[in-house]
Amino acid sequence: MPQPDEYLGSVTAVRGGVVDVRFERGAPQLRQMVAAGRDGRVRLEVVEQLDERTARCLAFDSTSGLARGDAARALGGELMVPVGPELRGRVFDVFGRAIDGGAQPPAVAERPLLQPPVPLAGLAVDSEILTTGIKAVDLLAPIERGGKAGLFGGAGVGKTVLITELIRNMATRHQGVSLFCGIGERSREAEELVREVEEAGVLQDTVLVFGQMSEPPGARFRVPHTATTMAEYFRDTEQRDVLLLMDNVFRFVQAGSEVSGLMGRLSSQMGYQSTMSTELGELQERITSTHGAAVTSVQAVYVPADDFTDPAVVHVFGHLTASVVLSRQRASQGFYPALDPLVSTSALLAPSVVGERHARLAREVRATLATYEDLKDIIAMLGFEELSQEDQLAVSRARRLERYLTQPFHVSSAYTGQEGKTVALEDALDDVERILADELADVPESELYMIGTLAEAGL
């Protein structure tokens, strides 16, 4: 079928994942989709209008083989993402196409990739804890239902293992939908994650969306929006709570930086794009609770060179209600999860939200561990015996707390040989209260390492 002249054009420049297209009559509107190359195999999104007839586009497919002069055609609309209950148990790419080898599931409807956030009047304002079954997280950095939590850490400190454990625990404990978004994932990690979710028996209520590391920056830059659009369907149409997990938000920022450089924009501080704050805001503000259901997000954030003052990390911090900071020092000591109890925090740790007891115990745990941190230099120079009796008791408590806050994970049991444990918040509070009251002062520290509850360990 012949196309009207206003839809037709040709490629004038190709720079990696950015393509310039000149149209016969006039450039399409921003965010409109364009198909270029043989059989329209390369999908593009208009991100800039250079003049009345020329559009600068972001490629979602590889531009290998695309040349100047190749035909292009405006598709007359934005990228639409298929949504529906049949998405559960499947794996998709940025377009919502199934990539798990199965047939494309029928879509109930289609939604635009980019949508405005929920209006202020439609937001729910109640604060409620979403328990994870992980002692250190529930005690010191509780996650809010409908909030956003960040897992911050450098390479190799356990972000992906922790987020995979969260999928397993929360999908089995909460009767909602889990939606995992892999941004710049390695194919090995993606395959392992799909297998672990299936083995945990929660794949039937999980949707996985991947923009893999080998894909163009445009696909990696837009794949979290695809996942968020699917999450919004389950929240708004099916009225189901959604757990949206992202790994890794830093790679979303990196993809935006690549796109910005290819488009010839000047970079801001430390090489990041000047539009980073806006791009993060467009994504993060869509993840909210409504009066009917909630989208709760847990986001892994890579910290470059363990520098928490990095602009990308600072910008992400501003959107979160809870921050779980993973420490390389604690990981090297074998404390897993390697949560830093003195830096990790949550907006929910107020008596009016979590209750007086929980807030008090969290404060006491932090104070005890902070005292131990201050005394470490003295112990190293003079020895433990030179401390006062009161300080020796504080150190003993702190060392037992450190070991109690470790926990064997279900998803890593194949590597550790230990059965995974899930701990209820009330049990964790009871156990911590006993440790702070010195009831376990005569129990060897090693007895508290990598256990679930004290009762399960016979203590």
Side-chain angles (χ1 to χ4, degrees), residues 17-20 28-34 44-50 54-60 114 218 221-222 259-260 263 265:
V18 172
V19 179
D20 291 351
Q29 297 177 5
L30 296 180
R31 296 184 175 176
Q32 299 282 300
M33 293 300 292
V34 176
L44 312 169
E45 179 193 322
V46 178
V47 290
E48 206 171 278
Q49 293 175 336
L50 300 182
T54 308
R56 182 157 286 170
C57 306
L58 181 62
F60 288 169
L114 300 168
F221 186 56
R222 289 305 191 207
V259 170
S260 181
M263 292 181 67
R265 294 173 181 161

Side-chain angles (χ1 to χ4, degrees), residues 129-142:
I129 288 184
L130 193 66
T131 54
T132 66
I134 299 172
K135 294 180 285 189
V137 174
D138 290 342
L139 175 67
L140 298 172

Side-chain angles (χ1 to χ4, degrees), residues 318-335:
H319 292 280
L320 306 175
T321 52
S323 301
V324 177
V325 179
L326 302 180
S327 159
R328 188 171 303 281
Q329 181 184 8
R330 294 182 67 78
S332 67
Q333 294 170 335
F335 295 142

Side-chain angles (χ1 to χ4, degrees), residues 11 13-20 36-37 41-44 57-68 70 214-218 262:
V11 174
V14 181
R15 290 183 303 282
V18 172
V19 179
D20 291 351
R41 65 171 186 81
V42 180
R43 299 279 194 93
L44 312 169
C57 306
L58 181 62
F60 288 169
D61 297 297
S62 172
T63 55
S64 176
L66 194 65
R68 281 182 291 183
D70 281 358
S214 59
E215 295 187 43
L262 290 167

Side-chain angles (χ1 to χ4, degrees), residues 134 225 342:
I134 299 172
H225 288 282
L342 302 182

Side-chain angles (χ1 to χ4, degrees), residues 42-375:
V42 180
R43 299 279 194 93
L44 312 169
E45 179 193 322
V46 178
V47 290
E48 206 171 278
Q49 293 175 336
L50 300 182
D51 56 44
E52 290 182 354
R53 293 172 54 194
T54 308
R56 182 157 286 170
C57 306
L58 181 62
F60 288 169
D61 297 297
S62 172
T63 55
S64 176
L66 194 65
R68 281 182 291 183
D70 281 358
R73 176 172 54 90
L75 300 180
E78 299 181 35
L79 176 60
M80 304 296 286
V81 177
V83 293
E86 288 78 9
L87 299 182
R88 289 174 296 172
R90 302 298 301 276
V91 186
F92 300 95
D93 65 6
V94 66
F95 299 107
R97 296 180 304 206
I99 55 173
D100 54 6
Q104 181 72 17
V108 170
E110 289 186 326
R111 289 188 169 205
L113 175 76
L114 300 168
Q115 298 192 70
V118 177
L120 201 58
L123 299 179
V125 294
D126 297 333
S127 293
E128 179 186 339
I129 288 184
L130 193 66
T131 54
T132 66
I134 299 172
K135 294 180 285 189
V137 174
D138 290 342
L139 175 67
L140 298 172
I143 295 173
E144 181 183 12
R145 176 181 174 269
K148 294 181 277 287
L151 304 182
F152 293 86
V157 295
K159 295 187 299 300
T160 301
V161 173
L162 183 54
I163 212 165
T164 311
E165 181 76 2
L166 285 171
I167 291 178
R168 188 216 167 271
N169 285 5
M170 298 174 82
T172 52
R173 292 158 65 89
H174 302 282
Q175 300 306 309
V177 178
S178 295
L179 212 151
F180 179 86
C181 176
I183 309 169
E185 282 284 278
R186 301 171 185 88
S187 56
R188 169 185 57 80
E189 292 175 336
E191 189 275 330
E192 286 177 357
L193 183 78
V194 174
R195 185 155 30 86
E196 285 166 357
V197 169
E198 189 170 11
E199 288 173 357
V202 295
L203 184 60
Q204 71 277 4
D205 270 323
T206 305
V207 183
L208 299 105
V209 185
F210 290 104
Q212 291 176 225
M213 195 172 276
S214 59
E215 295 187 43
R220 288 180 274 126
F221 186 56
R222 289 305 191 207
V223 75
H225 288 282
T226 299
T228 306
T229 300
M230 292 177 176
E232 287 171 340
Y233 163 79
F234 288 110
R235 180 194 66 193
D236 301 336
T237 304
E238 295 199 0
Q239 298 286 297
R240 296 187 67 180
D241 282 358
V242 182
L243 176 64
L244 175 60
L245 300 112
M246 293 187 185
D247 187 9
N248 180 315
V249 175
F250 181 77
R251 294 199 191 113
F252 166 72
V253 175
Q254 274 187 318
S257 182
E258 284 184 57
V259 170
S260 181
L262 290 167
M263 292 181 67
R265 294 173 181 161
L266 290 174
S267 61
S268 183
Q269 55 180 334
M270 295 180 70
Y272 290 110
Q273 64 272 36
S274 55
T275 54
M276 176 172 61
S277 180
T278 302
E279 291 163 2
L280 272 171
E282 284 178 347
L283 174 64
Q284 299 283 3
E285 290 303 302
R286 294 176 64 184
I287 304 169
T288 52
S289 289
T290 62
H291 298 296
V295 176
T296 305
S297 177
V298 180
Q299 307 170 12
V301 185
Y302 169 68
V303 181
D306 294 338
D307 178 13
F308 284 88
T309 64
D310 186 271
V313 178
V314 171
H315 277 83
V316 175
F317 259 122
H319 292 280
L320 306 175
T321 52
S323 301
V324 177
V325 179
L326 302 180
S327 159
R328 188 171 303 281
Q329 181 184 8
R330 294 182 67 78
S332 67
Q333 294 170 335
F335 295 142
Y336 288 102
L339 180 145
D340 189 329
L342 302 182
V343 182
S344 301
T345 185
S346 171
L348 271 66
L349 272 182
S352 57
V353 180
V354 298
E356 181 62 44
R357 183 188 183 215
H358 186 169
R360 173 178 56 80
L361 288 173
R363 281 196 308 271
E364 288 181 18
V365 167
R366 282 209 176 92
T368 303
L369 293 171
T371 300
Y372 179 38
E373 197 65 31
D374 292 340
L375 293 172

